[in-house]
Amino acid sequence: MNKNILVAPLNWGLGHATRCIPIIRELEKNGFTPIIASDGIALALLKKEFPHLTSLELPSYNIEYAKKGENFKWKLIKNSPKTINAILSEKQLVKKWIKEHDLKGIISDNRLGVHSKKVPSVFITHQLTVLSGKTTWISSKLHQFFINKFDECWVPDVNEIPNLTGKLGHLKNSNLNIRYIGVLSRLEKKVLEIKYDIMILLSGPEPQRTILEEKIIEEIQNAEETIVFIKGKVEKEQIKEQKGNVTFYNFMQSEELEKTFNESEMVLCRSGYTTVMDLCKLQKKAFFIPTPGQFEQEYLAKKYKREGLVPYSRQDKFSLEDLNSVPLYRGLPVMETEINWKQLLLLFECE
């Protein structure tokens, strides 16, 4: 019997796509056939990871970052008509694909229009509360309105304390059908010899990814440490460059990235939640530079610093010397990472 499941991550940096990798793997292990749907670099990454799977293109949400963090919210508001059009278009496409591809279920990672009343539909998010400054209550209510259209909402975290998402992923009162599934990571902890003092991992939409890349390159010019620098630019071919004691890659696929994480003493990266889950699973110490103006990343960075787990710096204030503070912090806590996939995927077994 055909058991096609549509897996559709949002194209916003690489985090939504990469945290769908373990979901796609588990679907295959449990006898389902995943069909990938996204756009831009998220789709390009998943096509490289799963070249044997059918992939479909969804309309872009046209998420763009402002060059100045304080303008980020207004940029999103300005782009909202394009985003709304994309959501309406993806609803029409999903309706068509259910027939064309005989879909038995949908897993949407933050794509608001990818759901259907005809097949079980799951929404994945770590943001039940969407921080947006003074408008947080509106953005959160709007997000929860969309989530309510899905059969289940999977939050990749634990429900108890300590947890990783804090107020982002935990509501005091909610009528949503929430399932806390545990920490979701495509990577595994391995005991390998340390090869790099610092691993630098970039991601996220432009122009902020490039701004941070240029800032860090300037900072590490005279560094004595052995550094591996992964730029987070998914291109047709992988490019590796050696400049002194720094090894540059444009991107890495899962297997190589897992090895590099395990070979690194510490990690310098954004405080994006997918990266946080990877660090938690691998038990690696880190230093965070949240994306300017992205309230969620700023909240997480402040939360972890306040709890004595991971230090952070504002992008414009960062200097390489800041990394000296990393050993003073405990690192992210050991969390429940065993996910009961058989139980979760029962939703799609209904006739």
Side-chain angles (χ1 to χ4, degrees), residues 186-232:
R186 58 183 162 152
L187 309 176
E188 294 293 335
K189 182 172 171 57
K190 291 176 181 170
V191 180
L192 299 177
E193 190 180 335
I194 297 297
K195 191 172 167 185
Y196 305 105
D197 298 314
I198 305 166
M199 173 183 180
I200 299 166
L201 181 64
L202 300 193
S203 62
E206 299 292 1
Q208 289 298 340
R209 193 212 59 80
T210 296
I211 293 168
L212 183 56
E213 179 188 327
E214 289 167 355
K215 167 89 176 162
I216 293 176
I217 286 173
E218 194 181 321
E219 284 292 327
I220 63 174
Q221 274 178 350
N222 301 312
E224 293 174 6
E225 294 87 352
T226 306
I227 298 170
V228 59
F229 194 137
I230 302 138
K231 296 178 180 180

mmCIF file of all heavy atoms in Angstrom, residues 186-232:
data_model
loop_
_atom_site.group_PDB
_atom_site.id
_atom_site.type_symbol
_atom_site.label_atom_id
_atom_site.label_comp_id
_atom_site.label_asym_id
_atom_site.label_seq_id
_atom_site.Cartn_x
_atom_site.Cartn_y
_atom_site.Cartn_z
ATOM 1 N N ARG A 186 19.691 15.725 13.592
ATOM 2 C CA ARG A 186 20.147 14.729 12.607
ATOM 3 C C ARG A 186 21.514 14.162 12.981
ATOM 4 O O ARG A 186 22.017 13.260 12.326
ATOM 5 C CB ARG A 186 20.242 15.387 11.219
ATOM 6 C CG ARG A 186 21.191 16.578 11.211
ATOM 7 C CD ARG A 186 21.246 17.273 9.868
ATOM 8 N NE ARG A 186 21.812 18.608 10.013
ATOM 9 C CZ ARG A 186 22.469 19.244 9.065
ATOM 10 N NH1 ARG A 186 22.664 18.674 7.895
ATOM 11 N NH2 ARG A 186 22.939 20.443 9.269
ATOM 12 N N LEU A 187 22.146 14.715 14.035
ATOM 13 C CA LEU A 187 23.527 14.373 14.372
ATOM 14 C C LEU A 187 23.612 13.450 15.589
ATOM 15 O O LEU A 187 22.736 13.458 16.439
ATOM 16 C CB LEU A 187 24.329 15.652 14.634
ATOM 17 C CG LEU A 187 24.234 16.742 13.544
ATOM 18 C CD1 LEU A 187 24.988 17.982 13.972
ATOM 19 C CD2 LEU A 187 24.732 16.229 12.206
ATOM 20 N N GLU A 188 24.700 12.683 15.664
ATOM 21 C CA GLU A 188 24.947 11.782 16.790
ATOM 22 C C GLU A 188 26.280 12.119 17.451
ATOM 23 O O GLU A 188 27.243 12.481 16.755
ATOM 24 C CB GLU A 188 25.000 10.309 16.316
ATOM 25 C CG GLU A 188 23.684 9.766 15.780
ATOM 26 C CD GLU A 188 22.599 9.638 16.830
ATOM 27 O OE1 GLU A 188 22.933 9.512 18.028
ATOM 28 O OE2 GLU A 188 21.407 9.668 16.451
ATOM 29 N N LYS A 189 26.321 11.989 18.758
ATOM 30 C CA LYS A 189 27.566 12.224 19.498
ATOM 31 C C LYS A 189 28.520 11.053 19.297
ATOM 32 O O LYS A 189 28.129 9.901 19.436
ATOM 33 C CB LYS A 189 27.259 12.404 20.991
ATOM 34 C CG LYS A 189 28.499 12.709 21.830
ATOM 35 C CD LYS A 189 28.119 13.074 23.246
ATOM 36 C CE LYS A 189 29.331 13.177 24.157
ATOM 37 N NZ LYS A 189 30.342 14.140 23.703
ATOM 38 N N LYS A 190 29.765 11.369 18.937
ATOM 39 C CA LYS A 190 30.798 10.348 18.773
ATOM 40 C C LYS A 190 32.073 10.840 19.448
ATOM 41 O O LYS A 190 32.347 12.048 19.453
ATOM 42 C CB LYS A 190 31.068 10.082 17.287
ATOM 43 C CG LYS A 190 29.904 9.382 16.602
ATOM 44 C CD LYS A 190 30.126 9.204 15.136
ATOM 45 C CE LYS A 190 28.914 8.525 14.499
ATOM 46 N NZ LYS A 190 28.976 8.536 13.038
ATOM 47 N N VAL A 191 32.835 9.914 20.008
ATOM 48 C CA VAL A 191 34.097 10.298 20.658
ATOM 49 C C VAL A 191 35.189 10.246 19.600
ATOM 50 O O VAL A 191 35.633 9.170 19.190
ATOM 51 C CB VAL A 191 34.422 9.368 21.849
ATOM 52 C CG1 VAL A 191 35.736 9.785 22.502
ATOM 53 C CG2 VAL A 191 33.282 9.401 22.871
ATOM 54 N N LEU A 192 35.579 11.425 19.121
ATOM 55 C CA LEU A 192 36.631 11.539 18.109
ATOM 56 C C LEU A 192 37.740 12.449 18.630
ATOM 57 O O LEU A 192 37.508 13.292 19.499
ATOM 58 C CB LEU A 192 36.061 12.127 16.808
ATOM 59 C CG LEU A 192 34.944 11.338 16.105
ATOM 60 C CD1 LEU A 192 34.446 12.098 14.884
ATOM 61 C CD2 LEU A 192 35.417 9.948 15.694
ATOM 62 N N GLU A 193 38.912 12.280 18.055
ATOM 63 C CA GLU A 193 40.040 13.137 18.444
ATOM 64 C C GLU A 193 39.755 14.576 18.027
ATOM 65 O O GLU A 193 39.252 14.827 16.926
ATOM 66 C CB GLU A 193 41.312 12.636 17.745
ATOM 67 C CG GLU A 193 42.581 13.295 18.269
ATOM 68 C CD GLU A 193 43.833 12.779 17.551
ATOM 69 O OE1 GLU A 193 43.791 11.638 17.032
ATOM 70 O OE2 GLU A 193 44.813 13.527 17.499
ATOM 71 N N ILE A 194 40.042 15.525 18.916
ATOM 72 C CA ILE A 194 39.793 16.941 18.610
ATOM 73 C C ILE A 194 40.805 17.434 17.572
ATOM 74 O O ILE A 194 42.012 17.343 17.754
ATOM 75 C CB ILE A 194 39.855 17.814 19.890
ATOM 76 C CG1 ILE A 194 38.743 17.398 20.870
ATOM 77 C CG2 ILE A 194 39.753 19.305 19.544
ATOM 78 C CD1 ILE A 194 37.323 17.589 20.371
ATOM 79 N N LYS A 195 40.250 17.951 16.474
ATOM 80 C CA LYS A 195 41.076 18.405 15.346
ATOM 81 C C LYS A 195 41.067 19.930 15.230
ATOM 82 O O LYS A 195 41.997 20.533 14.726
ATOM 83 C CB LYS A 195 40.489 17.762 14.076
ATOM 84 C CG LYS A 195 41.329 17.870 12.832
ATOM 85 C CD LYS A 195 40.669 17.006 11.741
ATOM 86 C CE LYS A 195 41.270 17.299 10.386
ATOM 87 N NZ LYS A 195 40.554 16.554 9.311
ATOM 88 N N TYR A 196 39.953 20.548 15.692
ATOM 89 C CA TYR A 196 39.787 22.000 15.562
ATOM 90 C C TYR A 196 39.543 22.629 16.936
ATOM 91 O O TYR A 196 38.754 22.112 17.723
ATOM 92 C CB TYR A 196 38.595 22.335 14.649
ATOM 93 C CG TYR A 196 38.674 21.695 13.285
ATOM 94 C CD1 TYR A 196 37.861 20.601 12.968
ATOM 95 C CD2 TYR A 196 39.558 22.172 12.314
ATOM 96 C CE1 TYR A 196 37.925 19.998 11.722
ATOM 97 C CE2 TYR A 196 39.626 21.578 11.059
ATOM 98 C CZ TYR A 196 38.810 20.492 10.769
ATOM 99 O OH TYR A 196 38.884 19.893 9.532
ATOM 100 N N ASP A 197 40.207 23.754 17.190
ATOM 101 C CA ASP A 197 39.937 24.511 18.418
ATOM 102 C C ASP A 197 38.568 25.170 18.348
ATOM 103 O O ASP A 197 37.834 25.218 19.331
ATOM 104 C CB ASP A 197 41.015 25.591 18.620
ATOM 105 C CG ASP A 197 42.402 24.992 18.777
ATOM 106 O OD1 ASP A 197 42.536 24.024 19.544
ATOM 107 O OD2 ASP A 197 43.345 25.482 18.122
ATOM 108 N N ILE A 198 38.252 25.697 17.150
ATOM 109 C CA ILE A 198 36.980 26.421 16.969
ATOM 110 C C ILE A 198 36.313 25.972 15.667
ATOM 111 O O ILE A 198 36.962 25.923 14.613
ATOM 112 C CB ILE A 198 37.204 27.961 16.902
ATOM 113 C CG1 ILE A 198 37.958 28.466 18.143
ATOM 114 C CG2 ILE A 198 35.873 28.694 16.742
ATOM 115 C CD1 ILE A 198 38.509 29.878 17.983
ATOM 116 N N MET A 199 35.033 25.665 15.757
ATOM 117 C CA MET A 199 34.217 25.436 14.565
ATOM 118 C C MET A 199 33.287 26.640 14.416
ATOM 119 O O MET A 199 32.569 26.997 15.352
ATOM 120 C CB MET A 199 33.392 24.159 14.736
ATOM 121 C CG MET A 199 32.377 23.905 13.634
ATOM 122 S SD MET A 199 31.418 22.410 14.030
ATOM 123 C CE MET A 199 30.322 22.335 12.622
ATOM 124 N N ILE A 200 33.307 27.273 13.261
ATOM 125 C CA ILE A 200 32.425 28.412 12.990
ATOM 126 C C ILE A 200 31.363 27.936 12.006
ATOM 127 O O ILE A 200 31.682 27.412 10.933
ATOM 128 C CB ILE A 200 33.208 29.610 12.410
ATOM 129 C CG1 ILE A 200 34.269 30.082 13.419
ATOM 130 C CG2 ILE A 200 32.263 30.754 12.052
ATOM 131 C CD1 ILE A 200 35.306 31.025 12.832
ATOM 132 N N LEU A 201 30.123 28.076 12.391
ATOM 133 C CA LEU A 201 29.010 27.583 11.567
ATOM 134 C C LEU A 201 28.022 28.714 11.332
ATOM 135 O O LEU A 201 27.400 29.214 12.267
ATOM 136 C CB LEU A 201 28.322 26.422 12.297
ATOM 137 C CG LEU A 201 27.142 25.765 11.578
ATOM 138 C CD1 LEU A 201 27.582 25.092 10.292
ATOM 139 C CD2 LEU A 201 26.457 24.752 12.502
ATOM 140 N N LEU A 202 27.877 29.121 10.071
ATOM 141 C CA LEU A 202 26.957 30.214 9.731
ATOM 142 C C LEU A 202 25.702 29.672 9.059
ATOM 143 O O LEU A 202 25.723 28.615 8.435
ATOM 144 C CB LEU A 202 27.637 31.218 8.794
ATOM 145 C CG LEU A 202 28.894 31.923 9.300
ATOM 146 C CD1 LEU A 202 29.244 33.077 8.390
ATOM 147 C CD2 LEU A 202 28.729 32.430 10.723
ATOM 148 N N SER A 203 24.629 30.416 9.203
ATOM 149 C CA SER A 203 23.373 30.074 8.526
ATOM 150 C C SER A 203 22.480 31.300 8.576
ATOM 151 O O SER A 203 22.863 32.340 9.113
ATOM 152 C CB SER A 203 22.693 28.897 9.233
ATOM 153 O OG SER A 203 22.364 29.244 10.558
ATOM 154 N N GLY A 204 21.283 31.156 8.029
ATOM 155 C CA GLY A 204 20.318 32.259 8.073
ATOM 156 C C GLY A 204 20.252 33.024 6.769
ATOM 157 O O GLY A 204 21.158 32.960 5.941
ATOM 158 N N PRO A 205 19.156 33.777 6.593
ATOM 159 C CA PRO A 205 18.969 34.532 5.347
ATOM 160 C C PRO A 205 19.959 35.684 5.201
ATOM 161 O O PRO A 205 20.561 36.144 6.169
ATOM 162 C CB PRO A 205 17.538 35.065 5.476
ATOM 163 C CG PRO A 205 16.904 34.255 6.546
ATOM 164 C CD PRO A 205 18.002 33.873 7.477
ATOM 165 N N GLU A 206 20.081 36.117 3.954
ATOM 166 C CA GLU A 206 20.893 37.301 3.648
ATOM 167 C C GLU A 206 20.091 38.569 3.959
ATOM 168 O O GLU A 206 18.875 38.532 4.018
ATOM 169 C CB GLU A 206 21.291 37.285 2.160
ATOM 170 C CG GLU A 206 22.132 36.085 1.751
ATOM 171 C CD GLU A 206 23.535 36.077 2.363
ATOM 172 O OE1 GLU A 206 23.870 36.994 3.131
ATOM 173 O OE2 GLU A 206 24.280 35.131 2.080
ATOM 174 N N PRO A 207 20.747 39.718 4.150
ATOM 175 C CA PRO A 207 22.197 39.917 4.048
ATOM 176 C C PRO A 207 22.953 39.626 5.346
ATOM 177 O O PRO A 207 24.165 39.748 5.393
ATOM 178 C CB PRO A 207 22.305 41.396 3.701
ATOM 179 C CG PRO A 207 21.150 42.026 4.427
ATOM 180 C CD PRO A 207 20.037 41.013 4.370
ATOM 181 N N GLN A 208 22.236 39.213 6.417
ATOM 182 C CA GLN A 208 22.896 39.072 7.719
ATOM 183 C C GLN A 208 23.940 37.953 7.738
ATOM 184 O O GLN A 208 24.943 38.056 8.456
ATOM 185 C CB GLN A 208 21.848 38.862 8.822
ATOM 186 C CG GLN A 208 21.017 40.091 9.139
ATOM 187 C CD GLN A 208 21.849 41.248 9.670
ATOM 188 O OE1 GLN A 208 22.949 41.072 10.151
ATOM 189 N NE2 GLN A 208 21.315 42.456 9.560
ATOM 190 N N ARG A 209 23.719 36.892 6.945
ATOM 191 C CA ARG A 209 24.717 35.817 6.925
ATOM 192 C C ARG A 209 26.060 36.353 6.416
ATOM 193 O O ARG A 209 27.108 36.106 7.014
ATOM 194 C CB ARG A 209 24.226 34.658 6.042
ATOM 195 C CG ARG A 209 25.039 33.358 6.189
ATOM 196 C CD ARG A 209 25.096 32.576 4.895
ATOM 197 N NE ARG A 209 25.691 33.354 3.832
ATOM 198 C CZ ARG A 209 27.000 33.533 3.677
ATOM 199 N NH1 ARG A 209 27.864 32.985 4.504
ATOM 200 N NH2 ARG A 209 27.445 34.288 2.686
ATOM 201 N N THR A 210 26.020 37.117 5.324
ATOM 202 C CA THR A 210 27.250 37.672 4.747
ATOM 203 C C THR A 210 27.885 38.710 5.671
ATOM 204 O O THR A 210 29.113 38.759 5.817
ATOM 205 C CB THR A 210 26.961 38.310 3.363
ATOM 206 O OG1 THR A 210 26.529 37.260 2.480
ATOM 207 C CG2 THR A 210 28.192 38.971 2.769
ATOM 208 N N ILE A 211 27.054 39.525 6.313
ATOM 209 C CA ILE A 211 27.574 40.550 7.241
ATOM 210 C C ILE A 211 28.379 39.883 8.353
ATOM 211 O O ILE A 211 29.485 40.312 8.696
ATOM 212 C CB ILE A 211 26.425 41.430 7.812
ATOM 213 C CG1 ILE A 211 25.800 42.290 6.700
ATOM 214 C CG2 ILE A 211 26.922 42.307 8.963
ATOM 215 C CD1 ILE A 211 24.492 42.966 7.083
ATOM 216 N N LEU A 212 27.832 38.796 8.903
ATOM 217 C CA LEU A 212 28.539 38.089 9.975
ATOM 218 C C LEU A 212 29.790 37.382 9.445
ATOM 219 O O LEU A 212 30.834 37.385 10.102
ATOM 220 C CB LEU A 212 27.613 37.078 10.654
ATOM 221 C CG LEU A 212 28.225 36.319 11.842
ATOM 222 C CD1 LEU A 212 28.751 37.264 12.921
ATOM 223 C CD2 LEU A 212 27.239 35.331 12.443
ATOM 224 N N GLU A 213 29.697 36.806 8.261
ATOM 225 C CA GLU A 213 30.865 36.143 7.654
ATOM 226 C C GLU A 213 32.036 37.124 7.538
ATOM 227 O O GLU A 213 33.160 36.819 7.934
ATOM 228 C CB GLU A 213 30.504 35.591 6.268
ATOM 229 C CG GLU A 213 31.669 34.901 5.572
ATOM 230 C CD GLU A 213 31.379 34.514 4.123
ATOM 231 O OE1 GLU A 213 30.221 34.186 3.803
ATOM 232 O OE2 GLU A 213 32.319 34.554 3.303
ATOM 233 N N GLU A 214 31.754 38.304 7.017
ATOM 234 C CA GLU A 214 32.808 39.315 6.838
ATOM 235 C C GLU A 214 33.377 39.767 8.177
ATOM 236 O O GLU A 214 34.589 39.951 8.327
ATOM 237 C CB GLU A 214 32.250 40.508 6.040
ATOM 238 C CG GLU A 214 31.998 40.155 4.577
ATOM 239 C CD GLU A 214 31.175 41.197 3.836
ATOM 240 O OE1 GLU A 214 30.712 42.178 4.490
ATOM 241 O OE2 GLU A 214 30.972 41.037 2.619
ATOM 242 N N LYS A 215 32.508 39.929 9.156
ATOM 243 C CA LYS A 215 32.923 40.353 10.503
ATOM 244 C C LYS A 215 33.868 39.315 11.126
ATOM 245 O O LYS A 215 34.923 39.657 11.679
ATOM 246 C CB LYS A 215 31.673 40.540 11.367
ATOM 247 C CG LYS A 215 31.910 40.687 12.861
ATOM 248 C CD LYS A 215 32.130 42.121 13.240
ATOM 249 C CE LYS A 215 32.267 42.295 14.729
ATOM 250 N NZ LYS A 215 32.871 43.563 15.099
ATOM 251 N N ILE A 216 33.490 38.030 11.031
ATOM 252 C CA ILE A 216 34.301 36.975 11.654
ATOM 253 C C ILE A 216 35.626 36.785 10.917
ATOM 254 O O ILE A 216 36.669 36.598 11.549
ATOM 255 C CB ILE A 216 33.509 35.649 11.743
ATOM 256 C CG1 ILE A 216 32.334 35.806 12.716
ATOM 257 C CG2 ILE A 216 34.407 34.506 12.224
ATOM 258 C CD1 ILE A 216 31.425 34.604 12.806
ATOM 259 N N ILE A 217 35.604 36.852 9.582
ATOM 260 C CA ILE A 217 36.857 36.709 8.815
ATOM 261 C C ILE A 217 37.869 37.771 9.239
ATOM 262 O O ILE A 217 39.061 37.494 9.406
ATOM 263 C CB ILE A 217 36.578 36.750 7.291
ATOM 264 C CG1 ILE A 217 35.929 35.417 6.856
ATOM 265 C CG2 ILE A 217 37.862 36.996 6.492
ATOM 266 C CD1 ILE A 217 35.446 35.373 5.430
ATOM 267 N N GLU A 218 37.355 38.971 9.448
ATOM 268 C CA GLU A 218 38.223 40.065 9.917
ATOM 269 C C GLU A 218 38.802 39.739 11.306
ATOM 270 O O GLU A 218 39.974 39.956 11.578
ATOM 271 C CB GLU A 218 37.378 41.350 9.991
ATOM 272 C CG GLU A 218 38.192 42.617 10.133
ATOM 273 C CD GLU A 218 37.283 43.836 10.219
ATOM 274 O OE1 GLU A 218 36.257 43.885 9.499
ATOM 275 O OE2 GLU A 218 37.590 44.724 11.032
ATOM 276 N N GLU A 219 37.969 39.164 12.169
ATOM 277 C CA GLU A 219 38.380 38.854 13.548
ATOM 278 C C GLU A 219 39.418 37.729 13.619
ATOM 279 O O GLU A 219 40.272 37.726 14.496
ATOM 280 C CB GLU A 219 37.150 38.469 14.392
ATOM 281 C CG GLU A 219 36.287 39.634 14.815
ATOM 282 C CD GLU A 219 36.955 40.555 15.817
ATOM 283 O OE1 GLU A 219 37.739 40.071 16.645
ATOM 284 O OE2 GLU A 219 36.712 41.772 15.749
ATOM 285 N N ILE A 220 39.324 36.761 12.695
ATOM 286 C CA ILE A 220 40.192 35.573 12.812
ATOM 287 C C ILE A 220 41.476 35.673 11.988
ATOM 288 O O ILE A 220 42.264 34.728 11.952
ATOM 289 C CB ILE A 220 39.431 34.271 12.433
ATOM 290 C CG1 ILE A 220 38.986 34.296 10.965
ATOM 291 C CG2 ILE A 220 38.265 34.030 13.379
ATOM 292 C CD1 ILE A 220 38.349 32.988 10.492
ATOM 293 N N GLN A 221 41.706 36.824 11.370
ATOM 294 C CA GLN A 221 42.893 36.977 10.501
ATOM 295 C C GLN A 221 44.198 36.608 11.203
ATOM 296 O O GLN A 221 45.071 35.988 10.615
ATOM 297 C CB GLN A 221 42.976 38.414 9.973
ATOM 298 C CG GLN A 221 42.153 38.594 8.708
ATOM 299 C CD GLN A 221 42.193 40.031 8.202
ATOM 300 O OE1 GLN A 221 42.687 40.920 8.895
ATOM 301 N NE2 GLN A 221 41.672 40.264 7.014
ATOM 302 N N ASN A 222 44.343 37.008 12.442
ATOM 303 C CA ASN A 222 45.596 36.748 13.164
ATOM 304 C C ASN A 222 45.435 35.700 14.272
ATOM 305 O O ASN A 222 46.270 35.611 15.175
ATOM 306 C CB ASN A 222 46.125 38.059 13.771
ATOM 307 C CG ASN A 222 46.368 39.115 12.702
ATOM 308 O OD1 ASN A 222 46.979 38.834 11.682
ATOM 309 N ND2 ASN A 222 45.855 40.325 12.914
ATOM 310 N N ALA A 223 44.363 34.909 14.168
ATOM 311 C CA ALA A 223 44.109 33.896 15.206
ATOM 312 C C ALA A 223 45.148 32.786 15.143
ATOM 313 O O ALA A 223 45.592 32.390 14.062
ATOM 314 C CB ALA A 223 42.715 33.315 15.024
ATOM 315 N N GLU A 224 45.529 32.301 16.310
ATOM 316 C CA GLU A 224 46.510 31.200 16.376
ATOM 317 C C GLU A 224 45.819 29.837 16.443
ATOM 318 O O GLU A 224 46.447 28.802 16.227
ATOM 319 C CB GLU A 224 47.408 31.382 17.614
ATOM 320 C CG GLU A 224 48.299 32.614 17.506
ATOM 321 C CD GLU A 224 49.081 32.894 18.788
ATOM 322 O OE1 GLU A 224 49.017 32.060 19.715
ATOM 323 O OE2 GLU A 224 49.738 33.945 18.842
ATOM 324 N N GLU A 225 44.512 29.828 16.746
ATOM 325 C CA GLU A 225 43.774 28.576 16.886
ATOM 326 C C GLU A 225 43.574 27.888 15.521
ATOM 327 O O GLU A 225 43.578 28.536 14.476
ATOM 328 C CB GLU A 225 42.390 28.827 17.511
ATOM 329 C CG GLU A 225 42.436 29.316 18.951
ATOM 330 C CD GLU A 225 42.566 30.825 19.066
ATOM 331 O OE1 GLU A 225 42.776 31.505 18.031
ATOM 332 O OE2 GLU A 225 42.461 31.316 20.194
ATOM 333 N N THR A 226 43.372 26.575 15.574
ATOM 334 C CA THR A 226 42.999 25.821 14.369
ATOM 335 C C THR A 226 41.484 25.938 14.215
ATOM 336 O O THR A 226 40.727 25.601 15.132
ATOM 337 C CB THR A 226 43.394 24.335 14.522
ATOM 338 O OG1 THR A 226 44.773 24.279 14.858
ATOM 339 C CG2 THR A 226 43.160 23.575 13.233
ATOM 340 N N ILE A 227 41.060 26.453 13.063
ATOM 341 C CA ILE A 227 39.645 26.813 12.873
ATOM 342 C C ILE A 227 39.084 26.136 11.620
ATOM 343 O O ILE A 227 39.744 26.085 10.580
ATOM 344 C CB ILE A 227 39.496 28.353 12.747
ATOM 345 C CG1 ILE A 227 39.976 29.041 14.036
ATOM 346 C CG2 ILE A 227 38.057 28.746 12.426
ATOM 347 C CD1 ILE A 227 40.091 30.559 13.929
ATOM 348 N N VAL A 228 37.856 25.623 11.732
ATOM 349 C CA VAL A 228 37.105 25.190 10.558
ATOM 350 C C VAL A 228 35.901 26.126 10.428
ATOM 351 O O VAL A 228 35.194 26.383 11.401
ATOM 352 C CB VAL A 228 36.687 23.698 10.631
ATOM 353 C CG1 VAL A 228 35.822 23.410 11.860
ATOM 354 C CG2 VAL A 228 35.985 23.260 9.356
ATOM 355 N N PHE A 229 35.699 26.671 9.235
ATOM 356 C CA PHE A 229 34.699 27.724 9.001
ATOM 357 C C PHE A 229 33.732 27.236 7.926
ATOM 358 O O PHE A 229 34.095 27.111 6.759
ATOM 359 C CB PHE A 229 35.431 28.991 8.543
ATOM 360 C CG PHE A 229 34.607 30.250 8.568
ATOM 361 C CD1 PHE A 229 35.158 31.428 9.051
ATOM 362 C CD2 PHE A 229 33.301 30.290 8.098
ATOM 363 C CE1 PHE A 229 34.423 32.617 9.074
ATOM 364 C CE2 PHE A 229 32.560 31.464 8.117
ATOM 365 C CZ PHE A 229 33.125 32.624 8.610
ATOM 366 N N ILE A 230 32.480 26.951 8.327
ATOM 367 C CA ILE A 230 31.452 26.489 7.379
ATOM 368 C C ILE A 230 30.497 27.649 7.136
ATOM 369 O O ILE A 230 29.783 28.081 8.035
ATOM 370 C CB ILE A 230 30.709 25.251 7.925
ATOM 371 C CG1 ILE A 230 31.729 24.128 8.194
ATOM 372 C CG2 ILE A 230 29.668 24.761 6.942
ATOM 373 C CD1 ILE A 230 31.496 23.383 9.452
ATOM 374 N N LYS A 231 30.497 28.135 5.911
ATOM 375 C CA LYS A 231 29.802 29.394 5.603
ATOM 376 C C LYS A 231 28.281 29.261 5.515
ATOM 377 O O LYS A 231 27.568 30.262 5.576
ATOM 378 C CB LYS A 231 30.333 29.964 4.286
ATOM 379 C CG LYS A 231 31.807 30.355 4.351
ATOM 380 C CD LYS A 231 32.281 30.876 2.998
ATOM 381 C CE LYS A 231 33.752 31.269 3.021
ATOM 382 N NZ LYS A 231 34.202 31.767 1.716
ATOM 383 N N GLY A 232 27.777 28.048 5.308
ATOM 384 C CA GLY A 232 26.325 27.870 5.198
ATOM 385 C C GLY A 232 25.765 28.351 3.879
ATOM 386 O O GLY A 232 24.628 28.810 3.802
#
